[in-house]
Amino acid sequence: MTFKGTSEFKEVDTRYSLQERKDLRLVRNTDGQVKVKCMKRNCPFVLYASNEGNKKVFQVKTFVDEDNCAICYKNRKVTAKWLASNYLYKYKCIATMKLVDIKKLVKQNLHIELTLTQLRRVKLLIILKIEGDVKKEFGPLRDYLGEVERSNPGSIIEMKFYRPLPEDFPIFQRLYISFDCLKRGLLAGRRRVLGLDGCFMKGVTKGKILAAIGRDGNNQMFPVAWFVVTSESYVTWKWFIKLLIKDLEMEDGDSWTIMIYQ
């Protein structure tokens, strides 16, 4: 069996030790050679691999798969960094889970025991990774809004941000979007009824989405505009409604029915 290098070999070794539930350690670990042995006394298990000449591959040279040891519930190869990047990253709800629940999840699926201190480090790494992904998603927001304006002429878009210091990166504050086709559809339908409500954004950002919903000819929901804010308050609602009045040309509100859900 060959590998691209020592890093790939050690990753496979970690997964193998998890699968077989063995206490395997690296007794030799260099750029050209890696030797793995079981730490149980008198266990003959050994795995040795090294570079194969000029082929630029890392090849297994010795593999003694004899093992009469009991299963192991501890694995030093499974570090906080490995767990965060190879297993728990797929559970997006980890950031809100309790440590005892994460411990049960790891024990049930990987059959290993971890301390709460280890799991606290894992949780922190995952939260940092998720926050980093969220920051990357906010990065192309200006490009998205520019594309909306290009492909939907007449749409109303308002975004606000602030800088704690002049040299700092801009921090998102609020965003209003109303597609022109939705506005024209509502006004053409002559059903001037709007419902205003908000919902929480679940995730790292912890913001809120405020929405204005109308009714179409089939008495179904017809989205008109939505507003993304960091928090719901008198100021954010006032800004949203002012933009909505201007966008739909409501003037003094005559002939309109507005419902606000509590």
Side-chain angles (χ1 to χ4, degrees):
M1 185 177 291
T2 59
F3 303 88
K4 294 179 181 178
T6 56
S7 58
E8 184 183 20
F9 173 79
K10 286 186 281 189
E11 174 62 24
V12 172
D13 170 52
T14 300
R15 295 182 180 275
Y16 176 79
S17 65
L18 270 174
Q19 175 184 316
E20 301 297 324
R21 297 164 72 176
K22 300 176 184 289
D23 184 18
L24 304 180
R25 308 283 178 84
L26 299 177
V27 295
R28 184 180 303 168
N29 183 18
T30 65
D31 292 338
Q33 298 180 347
V34 176
K35 187 176 182 180
V36 182
K37 290 196 68 176
C38 178
M39 289 295 99
K40 301 295 183 181
R41 182 176 297 182
N42 300 324
C43 180
F45 179 92
V46 62
L47 175 61
Y48 172 77
S50 63
N51 289 327
E52 179 60 21
N54 297 325
K55 296 181 181 180
K56 296 182 180 180
V57 295
F58 202 71
Q59 184 173 4
V60 174
K61 302 295 181 63
T62 304
F63 181 38
V64 180
D65 192 21
E66 297 179 12
D67 187 9
N68 53 5
C69 302
I71 60 175
C72 183
Y73 289 96
K74 292 185 179 181
N75 193 322
R76 296 190 180 184
K77 295 177 181 294
V78 182
T79 61
K81 184 178 179 180
W82 188 92
L83 268 177
S85 59
N86 291 276
Y87 175 66
L88 290 176
Y89 73 94
K90 58 186 178 182
Y91 296 96
K92 300 301 182 182
C93 60
I94 287 293
T96 58
M97 288 179 63
K98 296 181 179 179
L99 294 178
V100 290
D101 295 329
I102 302 176
K103 184 175 183 178
K104 291 178 182 177
L105 179 66
V106 172
K107 185 176 181 179
Q108 180 180 356
N109 294 336
L110 298 182
H111 307 290
I112 56 174
E113 290 276 3
L114 295 176
T115 64
L116 295 181
T117 302
Q118 290 173 308
L119 292 172
R120 191 174 290 109
R121 288 198 296 266
V122 173
K123 187 174 180 178
L124 177 60
L125 288 172
I126 293 176
I127 290 174
L128 291 175
K129 184 179 185 304
I130 294 174
E131 287 180 346
D133 292 341
V134 170
K135 290 179 181 178
K136 291 179 181 178
E137 291 172 359
F138 272 89
L141 188 57
R142 289 179 181 272
D143 296 334
Y144 166 73
L145 299 180
E147 181 62 21
V148 169
E149 292 178 334
R150 184 197 66 80
S151 58
N152 300 269
S155 298
I156 304 299
I157 300 171
E158 293 282 347
M159 183 175 68
K160 279 196 172 185
F161 59 88
Y162 68 96
R163 300 174 186 266
L165 295 173
E167 64 274 12
D168 289 345
F169 287 108
I171 298 176
F172 175 83
Q173 195 170 12
R174 59 187 73 157
L175 170 65
Y176 173 89
I177 297 179
S178 175
F179 291 134
D180 181 64
C181 57
L182 297 177
K183 176 180 66 175
R184 287 188 287 106
L186 177 73
L187 297 177
R190 301 295 179 182
R191 301 197 66 183
R192 304 200 170 191
V193 178
L194 279 182
L196 305 181
D197 199 3
C199 66
F200 290 99
M201 295 170 60
K202 295 184 178 180
V204 179
T205 53
K206 303 296 184 184
K208 290 205 72 173
I209 298 179
L210 311 181
I213 308 295
R215 288 284 184 179
D216 62 13
N218 295 322
N219 204 32
Q220 301 297 314
M221 289 192 298
F222 189 88
V224 180
W226 53 96
F227 187 42
V228 182
V229 293
T230 54
S231 62
E232 185 178 6
S233 66
Y234 172 80
V235 175
T236 54
W237 268 111
K238 182 180 178 181
W239 203 61
F240 179 42
I241 293 174
K242 284 179 66 176
L243 288 172
L244 201 60
I245 292 173
K246 180 181 177 182
D247 191 17
L248 297 178
E249 301 175 358
M250 301 170 83
E251 298 178 354
D252 60 356
D254 188 28
S255 76
W256 283 90
T257 299
I258 308 295
M259 295 178 290
I260 299 179
Y261 300 94
Q262 297 292 336

